[in-house]
Amino acid sequence: MSDDPTPPRPPASTGASSPPPSPPATAQSGPPAGSPVPSAGRPTPLSATEPPTLPRPPGPPKKPTDSRVTDVLAGRITRGGSGPCYGLVTDDGREYALHGSGMGTLGTGTTVLVTIAPPDPAHDCGPGTRASIVKISRVG
């Protein structure tokens, strides 16, 4: 070792300053300050704040809140053929007597989507709610 009283010089600077040294890390013995401490046998609560509550509605809605298309039916043909009369039963069990000229041949059991209009009083196509066919298309 040398007995030189002059401390060693730092390396030459390149123009960039180096960050100050960080303080030494200390081990924490418990949770950070401000966080809830779990009690024995119970989980830590997610939040100490109660969630907001919604006000009670004044009553049931005056109009339906679900908008449903009332002129379109989906179901299976129960009385088929080349028309102009067809029978249809929807998935909810409602039966319709449909009338439509030039709609083509539909076999019994065919699943269809039908746009309907008010019935033509001059035509009776059998049991069920009467309606006129505006448009009909096979599904699947």
Side-chain angles (χ1 to χ4, degrees):
M1 267 229 246
S2 155
D3 290 328
D4 188 14
T6 321
R9 283 192 195 178
S13 175
T14 59
S17 63
S18 61
S22 60
T26 59
Q28 290 185 334
S29 62
S35 64
V37 178
S39 58
R42 288 194 284 172
T44 304
L46 296 177
S47 174
T49 307
E50 288 293 320
T53 56
L54 297 173
R56 292 186 69 96
K62 303 221 182 328
K63 296 180 184 176
T65 56
D66 295 338
S67 58
R68 295 182 78 190
V69 178
T70 58
D71 64 342
V72 177
L73 306 173
R76 293 189 183 275
I77 297 294
T78 56
R79 292 185 313 274
S82 57
C85 288
Y86 305 93
L88 176 86
V89 173
T90 60
D91 291 340
D92 60 1
R94 293 183 185 186
E95 186 176 12
Y96 290 85
L98 305 175
H99 178 269
S101 299
M103 297 296 160
T105 301
L106 298 171
T108 302
T110 303
T111 303
V112 294
L113 192 62
V114 185
T115 304
I116 60 170
D120 180 358
H123 297 93
D124 184 4
C125 288
T129 303
R130 294 172 45 187
S132 295
I133 301 172
V134 174
K135 180 177 139 185
I136 190 165
S137 59
R138 289 176 171 81
V139 177

